[in-house]
Amino acid sequence: MIIAVDFLRSAKARDSEFTTSKGDRPLIVQFAAKDAQVLAEAACTVSPFADGVDLNCGCPQRWALAEGYGACLLNKPELIKDMARQVRNQVENPCFSVSLKIRVHSDTARTVDLCQKAAMAGVSWITVHGRTSEERHHPVHYDAIRIIKESLSIPVVANGDLKNLKDVSMVHQLTGADGVMAARGLLANPAMFAGYEETSLQCIRDWIDIALGHGTPFTCFHHHLMYMMERITSRQEKRIFNALTSTSAVLDYLRENYGI
């Protein structure tokens, strides 16, 4: 999630928050925004390099709510409509997508109303995380996602507690959604959609090659490996690996302990 106003204001922010390559397609850029013109200008800026933008209307973190971003927008359907319309009107590429990532209200009818208004404004699809903004580790309201799906003609993507392909199948059956989005499940196992139950060593090798080939900063490189190795390492191994402070130390550790 990129803060749209900072992205427009600062070349440093653009350079640090958005990098891509010709092979990185299709690509959707997610922004946090609370002003229609700001979002439209950010969308125009990335449109030569991406296939669409996604407006985050679901982030429940305190800083986002305090700034009027994320889940704050769930109570402002007219603003969401305006933002979608402005992007549609100002990005010249007619195939450029505009999507939303939302959470649900405790009153599902309010969420349905929001989604229908967004669809009328030209939103391409909506990803629904099946919890309210106040809920964290509560059960996912898959019934609410199904009701939303049945109320719309645009695609609906289900999100929440997808950790393996069995979960994907279950969520599809429960919601009828057109697709699924995984977050923590993919951080822990990027090979999940290929059918792997846990991160394979080949997947780790692939990440190393990609990260080194693109000059990925150490913190990002290391943190992703920490997620990927969480299920395949002991508590003692985690303590040692997570405390490493350089790329060379990480590569040495993986070579000595896993033959990578």
Side-chain angles (χ1 to χ4, degrees):
M1 182 175 73
I2 300 172
I3 308 300
V5 68
D6 294 337
F7 184 77
L8 292 174
R9 183 185 298 141
S10 166
K12 182 178 180 181
R14 290 192 292 275
D15 291 341
S16 64
E17 295 287 344
F18 181 71
T19 58
T20 185
S21 65
K22 291 181 179 180
D24 193 17
R25 306 297 283 269
L27 177 65
I28 307 297
V29 183
Q30 188 185 72
F31 284 109
K34 55 184 177 181
D35 179 273
Q37 185 57 33
V38 168
L39 179 63
E41 290 180 13
C44 289
T45 301
V46 301
S47 62
F49 315 102
D51 301 283
V53 292
D54 185 82
L55 175 62
N56 187 303
C57 304
C59 181
Q61 297 184 56
R62 289 181 182 177
W63 71 266
L65 299 178
E67 294 291 333
Y69 296 131
C72 272
L73 297 176
L74 294 174
N75 298 317
K76 301 177 180 180
E78 295 301 322
L79 176 57
I80 292 174
K81 281 175 57 179
D82 190 28
M83 288 196 277
R85 283 176 176 158
Q86 291 300 327
V87 173
R88 278 272 174 251
N89 290 339
Q90 296 185 43
V91 174
E92 295 182 357
N93 180 1
C95 296
F96 195 78
S97 68
V98 184
S99 55
L100 305 180
K101 171 77 186 298
I102 70 169
R103 283 184 173 236
V104 298
H105 296 93
S106 54
D107 179 0
T108 305
R110 290 182 63 196
T111 315
V112 168
D113 178 67
L114 181 153
C115 292
Q116 290 176 338
K117 288 177 177 176
M120 291 175 62
V123 165
S124 309
W125 73 82
I126 299 176
T127 300
V128 184
H129 180 89
R131 293 186 176 96
T132 69
S133 59
E134 293 81 20
E135 294 174 329
R136 294 298 182 270
H137 302 291
H138 298 71
V140 178
H141 302 292
Y142 295 119
D143 56 335
I145 299 177
R146 171 172 282 281
I147 292 170
I148 294 164
K149 164 60 187 171
E150 291 173 347
S151 74
L152 298 175
S153 58
I154 62 173
V156 171
V157 177
N159 174 240
D161 285 0
L162 290 153
K163 299 176 182 178
N164 52 56
L165 288 184
K166 292 180 181 178
D167 291 339
V168 171
S169 178
M170 176 198 70
V171 169
H172 175 65
Q173 291 178 2
L174 290 174
T175 66
D178 301 279
V180 297
M181 174 184 285
R184 286 175 295 180
L186 279 179
L187 284 173
N189 179 15
M192 181 178 80
F193 287 136
Y196 290 87
E197 292 295 322
E198 59 186 28
T199 305
S200 65
L201 293 183
Q202 184 57 52
C203 184
I204 294 173
R205 292 189 188 97
D206 290 344
W207 168 238
I208 293 171
D209 290 342
I210 291 168
L212 296 183
H214 288 277
T216 303
F218 171 73
T219 300
C220 178
F221 170 63
H222 189 212
H223 278 188
H224 275 288
L225 285 171
M226 288 163 61
Y227 281 118
M228 293 164 69
M229 298 179 66
E230 184 174 4
R231 299 178 187 173
I232 61 175
T233 53
S234 67
R235 183 175 299 179
Q236 176 63 20
E237 288 172 329
K238 287 183 179 65
R239 280 198 292 264
I240 296 171
F241 184 79
N242 294 356
L244 299 176
T245 58
S246 69
T247 299
S248 60
V250 168
L251 296 177
D252 288 344
Y253 181 90
L254 294 175
R255 183 175 59 254
E256 293 169 4
N257 291 274
Y258 294 94
I260 299 176

